[in-house]
């Protein structure tokens, strides 16, 4: 049944919504399925009781959770009672006849008499309480709240509303994992996919196989003990801790789906027990990001191991689904192993992909015999995948289409659409991650049901999931930066009806969500709103006056700026059009929501001749021929947030576009040396080697094209005798006019990588 008078989903499609403030939806994320405003309002102040039915332990738990959350985030003490109270109250009722019939659904009614939340199941009651909590936190204030009269009927669009955390590449403490689970609950997300094993670490205690965590949980980083790098990196979760985390999640109606990746991504396991592999060799736990070659053996001993590990995993995780990975298992080791080849032929299989299918099928049988279901990455479709396996589609959405057509359930978690390791902007001040940037608007635009499915096939889409791969997230601050606020966009994609999707509406509701993050101490990314301060550098250099324009990625909010060194607040001039500024000058700018709350921290740009003749590494572009680009911290496992540098592991060649070379006589480069810790598998042959003229290579500056005239050649220092960050200085052949520069490091490709922190072009007598 739909509300006859007013359904937000319809209204939101109208372009007029921005000015329709009277009817603007409350700042709820995800937006409820149906919402209708009533007459009047209700003031919720400290002391208003939260009432549950006597003896309903689930409702009591939700009421306690809700009251605690409101106390902590709004400062209102709401007593929980198991008996009717006189006067206005907040009633939480689990009721088999509640009007919303969908699983996890609820109704929430607010009038002058109080709040009433009704649901048929405990999850629905919990989500009703989360919605009420959001209504009580429309801003970062504390104290009483006036709620408008409302009638909400709400239920999720999808049953799988997921977030994957990779705890193998970098390890998060139990407290950090719980912080993430708590935020998931506040977004009505309900599946936490926990990536617990990989080449770089085994993170779950298995009692029967203690070496997995004694050896497999630890690695020795490149440059161990130097430059902020730990001597040893790692960690693991004890079974006791895992039980605690599972219970913490369950209390928030979140299922934890553990992942044990196999048959590839097995290097840490094989480092612990070499007989699990096929080569007879003992690798160390990997420190290389990418695709490593180590595969599990396919003999009985391997399957005994997997079965025993699964026994302990199933005892810890009540999830109906167990994730067995299946991704990126390059087959070189199986191809080279006579024993594996003999097995393949004895089984009558045609190739190694079929062998992987057989492997996954065996594991699936074991799970099935124990009442569990197998889920795996979409590569499991390449072999004979069990008919009831669920497929997680990550290589785009084609795997999901194929799987659903074959009758498999599917979860959408495509790269790059739902991957969180992609940077959210190409701003030079972004932390580490993959490029090109994947902005909030495109994240929000994701539609979980791929095109090309019939209605019947579309029913196999269980939902969608965001994936936080942590190669370049060494600390939890990095994780938070990557996850928030994109998690809010995912919440809406997986919960709210498709017809309600509206980017401008989402933006209007986001400031309240950002305020909730600030209250909770969540270090979210403000990349969508950070102010970009644009000038045409060469015009400014030539004329002594900069024409400044301001914008932000989302095109949203009020931009305020100063040019007098003071911090830009709401009293500072509001930006309306480009303005002229005599050099030298410093522009500071920040973005604010309509209610005056901050959208982005202030950004600053110094405008003087030296700055206008320089570029940060993040402002350079790749040379033609290779579009791979990654931003990394020089110490891969250093847990502090540090300056990150753009690299291209295939070709250390960058371009400085449109450099003004008049009067320039020298070049200064802030350079950095980084470990080349990348496992490129079959792509290793694509790495470009450039001939070096001096023992450790040099940075060569070419004019116009990468094979153009050489303007400068700056020899690199001996890596063994110089710090990781060093300056390069040298003369630059005199030129006139504006030219592109091509900057090539010629260091040998079996040694470290080099990147550019900043490059400055200097006229005679200029100071740094
Ligand atoms: C994956 O990103 N390797 C599933």
């Amino acid at each position: 049944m739909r509300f006859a008078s007013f359904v937000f989903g319809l209204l939101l499609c109208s372009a007029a919504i921005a000015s329709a403030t009277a009817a603007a939806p409350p700042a709820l994320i995800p937006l409820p399925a149906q919402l209708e405003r009533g007459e009047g309002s209700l003031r919720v102040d400290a002391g208003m009781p939260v009432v549950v039915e006597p003896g309903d332990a689930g409702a009591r738990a939700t009421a306690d959770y809700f009251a605690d959350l409101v106390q902590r985030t709004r400062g209102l003490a709401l007593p929980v009672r198991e008996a009717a109270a006189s006067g206005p109250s907040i009633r939480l009722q689990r009721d088999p006849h509640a009007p919303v019939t969908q699983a996890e659904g609820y109704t929430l009614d607010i009038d002058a008499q109080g709040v009433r939340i009704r649901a048929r199941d405990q999850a629905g009651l919990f989500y009703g309480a989360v919605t009420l909590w959001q209504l009580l936190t429309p801003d970062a204030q504390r104290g009483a709240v006036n709620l408008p009269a409302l009638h909400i009927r709400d239920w999720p669009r999808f049953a799988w509303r997921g977030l994957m955390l990779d705890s193998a590449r970098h390890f998060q403490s139990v407290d950090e994992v719980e912080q993430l689970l708590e935020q998931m609950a506040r977004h009505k997300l309900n599946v936490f996919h926990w990536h617990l094993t990989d080449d770089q670490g085994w993170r779950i205690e298995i009692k029967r196989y203690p070496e997995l965590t004694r050896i497999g949980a630890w690695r020795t980083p490149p440059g161990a003990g130097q430059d902020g790098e730990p001597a040893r990196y790692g960690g693991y979760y004890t079974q006791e801790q895992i039980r605690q985390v599972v219970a913490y999640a369950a209390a928030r109606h979140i299922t934890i789906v553990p992942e044990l990746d196999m048959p590839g991504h097995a290097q840490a396991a094989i480092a612990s027990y070499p007989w699990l592999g096929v080569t007879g060799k003992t690798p160390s736990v990997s420190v290389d990001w990418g695709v490593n070659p180590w595969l599990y053996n396919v003999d009985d001993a391997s399957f005994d191991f997997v079965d025993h590990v699964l026994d302990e995993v199933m005892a810890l995780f009540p999830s109906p689904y167990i994730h067995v990975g299946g991704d990126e298992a390059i087959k070189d080791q199986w191809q080279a192993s006579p024993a594996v080849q003999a097995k393949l032929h004895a089984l009558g299989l045609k190739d190694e992909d079929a062998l992987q299918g057989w492997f996954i099928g065996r594991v699936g049988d074991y799970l099935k015999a124990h009442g569990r279901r197998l889920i795996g990455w979409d590569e499991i479709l390449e072999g004979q995948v069990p008919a009831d396996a669920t497929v997680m589609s990550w290589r785009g959405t084609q795997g999901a289409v194929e799987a659903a057509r074959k009758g498999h359930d599917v979860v959408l978690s495509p790269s790059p659409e739902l991957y969180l390791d992609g940077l959210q902007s190409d701003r030079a001040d972004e932390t580490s991650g993959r490029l090109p940037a994947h902005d909030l608007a495109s994240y929000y635009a994701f539609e979980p049901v791929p095109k090309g499915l019939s209605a019947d096939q579309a029913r196999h889409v269980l939902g969608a999931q965001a994936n936080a791969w942590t190669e370049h997230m060494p600390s939890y601050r990095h994780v938070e930066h990557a996850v928030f606020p994109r998690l809010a966009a995912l919440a809406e994609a997986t919960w709210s009806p498709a017809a309600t999707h509206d980017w401008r509406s989402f933006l209007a509701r986001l400031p309240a969500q950002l305020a909730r993050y600030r209250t909770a101490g969540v270090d979210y990314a403000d990349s969508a709103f950070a102010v970009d301060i644009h000038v045409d550098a060469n015009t400014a250099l030539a004329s002594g006056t900069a024409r400044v324009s301001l914008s932000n990625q989302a095109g949203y909010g009020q931009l305020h700026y100063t040019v007098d060194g003071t911090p830009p607040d709401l009293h500072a001039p509001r930006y309306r059009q480009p303005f002229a500024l005599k050099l030298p000058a410093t522009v500071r700018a920040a973005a604010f929501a309509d209610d005056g709350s901050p959208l982005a921290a202030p950004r600053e740009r110094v405008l003087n001749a030296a700055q206008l003749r320089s570029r940060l590494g993040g402002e350079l572009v790749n040379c033609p021929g290779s579009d791979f680009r990654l931003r990394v911290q020089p110490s891969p496992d250093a847990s502090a947030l540090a300056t990150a540098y753009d690299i291209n592991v295939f070709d250390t060649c960058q371009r400085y576009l449109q450099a003004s070379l008049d009067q320039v006589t020298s070049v200064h480069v802030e350079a950095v040396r980084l470990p080349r810790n990348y496992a490129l598998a079959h792509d290793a042959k694509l790495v470009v080697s450039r001939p070096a003229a001096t023992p450790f290579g040099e940075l060569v500056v070419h004019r116009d094209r990468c094979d153009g005239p050489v303007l400068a050649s700056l020899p690199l220092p001996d890596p063994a005798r110089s710090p990781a960050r060093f300056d390069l200085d040298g003369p630059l052949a005199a030129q006139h006019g504006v030219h592109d520069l091509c900057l090539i490091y010629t260091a040998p490709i079996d040694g470290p990588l080099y990147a550019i922190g900043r490059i400055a072009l200097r006229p005679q007598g200029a100071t740094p």
Side-chain angles (χ1 to χ4, degrees), residues 226-292:
Q226 297 162 26
D227 208 24
E229 198 74 339
R232 192 171 85 128
Y233 180 87
Y236 64 92
Y237 307 102
T238 65
Q239 295 206 349
E240 190 62 32
Q241 288 173 321
I242 288 191
R243 273 187 217 98
Q244 175 191 325
V245 174
V246 168
Y248 186 95
R252 287 155 183 77
H253 298 274
I254 296 169
T255 300
I256 302 189
V257 176
E259 180 185 351
L260 306 173
D261 209 341
M262 60 186 91
H265 290 290
Q267 188 168 332
I270 297 168
S272 311
Y273 294 102
W275 49 264
L276 285 170
V278 298
T279 65
K281 297 191 181 126
T282 307
S284 15
V285 175
S286 180
V287 295
D288 293 336
W289 313 131
V291 176
N292 287 277

Side-chain angles (χ1 to χ4, degrees), residues 369-554:
H370 291 78
R372 307 298 180 99
R373 300 187 60 175
L374 178 146
I375 180 166
W377 299 112
D378 56 49
E379 285 94 332
I380 66 172
L381 285 168
E382 288 165 8
Q384 246 331 320
V385 60
D388 58 353
T390 300
V391 173
M392 191 168 266
S393 185
W394 76 278
R395 296 174 299 176
T397 55
Q398 193 48 37
V401 172
E402 221 178 283
R405 285 185 180 152
K406 287 183 178 164
H408 295 285
D409 285 348
V410 297
V411 174
L412 276 289
S413 65
S415 167
E417 291 91 334
L418 292 185
Y419 270 41
L420 293 162
D421 50 353
L423 291 180
Q424 295 170 74
S425 79
D426 52 14
R427 299 178 51 79
D429 61 14
E430 281 285 354
T431 168
S432 44
R434 287 172 186 278
L435 286 156
H438 187 45
D439 66 19
L440 186 60
S442 51
Y443 215 85
Y444 185 80
F446 180 72
E447 162 52 43
V449 178
K451 289 197 173 63
L453 295 183
S454 68
D456 260 1
Q457 291 161 348
R459 271 191 270 283
H460 285 294
V461 176
L462 300 182
Q465 176 178 293
N467 291 339
W469 296 107
T470 58
E471 288 94 330
H472 311 298
M473 302 179 201
S475 78
Y476 188 65
R477 284 190 67 190
H478 291 88
V479 173
E480 285 191 327
H481 183 89
V483 170
F484 303 100
R486 289 188 287 197
L487 203 67
L490 177 83
E492 200 133 307
T494 53
W495 180 285
S496 307
T500 66
H501 262 237
D502 183 279
W503 168 239
R504 301 305 293 182
S505 155
F506 178 72
L507 280 177
R509 288 175 282 120
L510 201 51
Q513 186 66 26
L514 301 183
R516 290 181 197 112
Y517 294 153
R518 287 194 295 277
T519 303
V522 171
D523 204 1
Y524 61 90
D526 66 1
S527 317
F529 307 109
V531 181
D532 295 311
I533 303 167
H534 313 270
V535 298
D536 183 300
N538 293 339
T539 312
L541 276 169
S543 66
T545 299
R547 188 171 165 77
V548 181
S549 64
L550 307 181
S551 64
N552 64 15
Q553 185 191 77

Side-chain angles (χ1 to χ4, degrees), residues 678-738:
Y678 299 89
L680 302 177
H682 300 157
D683 288 342
K685 59 181 177 296
L686 302 178
V687 177
V688 177
S689 176
R690 309 272 188 177
T694 55
F696 310 108
E698 48 276 314
L699 178 64
V700 185
V701 181
H702 296 263
R703 198 191 72 198
D704 300 321
R705 300 161 45 92
C706 295
D707 56 2
V710 172
L711 302 188
S713 183
L714 312 171
L716 300 176
D718 179 354
R721 283 171 229 286
S722 57
R725 288 179 188 75
F726 55 89
D727 289 349
L728 297 172
D729 285 283
L732 192 103
Q735 305 293 312
H736 289 294
V738 171

Side-chain angles (χ1 to χ4, degrees), residues 59-259:
R60 173 80 204 207
T62 289
D64 288 340
Y65 169 85
F66 166 78
D68 178 60
L69 188 56
V70 173
Q71 166 85 65
R72 282 190 287 125
T73 56
R74 192 74 194 182
L76 292 177
L78 306 177
V80 178
R81 305 244 170 87
E82 291 195 15
S86 61
S89 65
I90 295 165
R91 280 194 292 158
L92 300 182
Q93 287 179 303
R94 199 162 51 86
D95 172 357
H97 306 295
V100 168
T101 58
Q102 288 89 340
E104 306 179 273
Y106 65 93
T107 57
L108 189 159
D109 298 288
I110 303 173
D111 59 25
Q113 270 64 58
V115 182
R116 188 177 182 202
I117 300 172
R118 286 193 295 163
R120 293 189 178 206
D121 58 33
Q122 293 290 3
L125 205 59
F126 182 83
Y127 294 130
V130 169
T131 298
L132 181 58
W133 167 73
Q134 289 195 358
L135 292 168
L136 291 171
T137 50
D139 51 40
Q141 311 291 315
R142 294 176 82 77
V145 186
N146 280 323
L147 297 179
L150 284 178
H151 303 289
I152 292 175
R153 287 168 177 244
D154 196 15
W155 60 91
R157 181 174 172 208
F158 294 104
W160 188 297
R161 305 180 300 279
L163 172 64
M164 188 215 77
L165 178 67
D166 170 7
S167 294
R169 273 52 176 271
H170 283 107
F171 180 72
Q172 304 80 26
S173 69
V174 166
D175 181 55
E176 289 162 348
V177 173
E178 289 183 351
Q179 286 178 50
L180 202 53
L181 289 165
E182 170 64 19
Q183 286 301 324
M184 284 180 66
R186 295 185 195 181
H187 290 81
K188 303 192 175 93
L189 298 174
N190 68 344
V191 179
F192 179 66
H193 168 178
W194 205 359
H195 186 77
L196 285 165
T197 72
D198 214 304
D199 299 309
Q200 297 82 3
W202 183 284
R203 305 280 174 233
I204 171 172
E205 178 189 26
I206 300 295
K207 305 263 190 204
R208 191 176 178 124
Y209 300 109
E211 302 295 82
L212 289 171
T213 44
R214 195 183 68 81
I215 295 172
W218 306 95
R219 61 180 188 247
T220 304
Q226 297 162 26
D227 208 24
E229 198 74 339
R232 192 171 85 128
Y233 180 87
Y236 64 92
Y237 307 102
T238 65
Q239 295 206 349
E240 190 62 32
Q241 288 173 321
I242 288 191
R243 273 187 217 98
Q244 175 191 325
V245 174
V246 168
Y248 186 95
R252 287 155 183 77
H253 298 274
I254 296 169
T255 300
I256 302 189
V257 176
E259 180 185 351

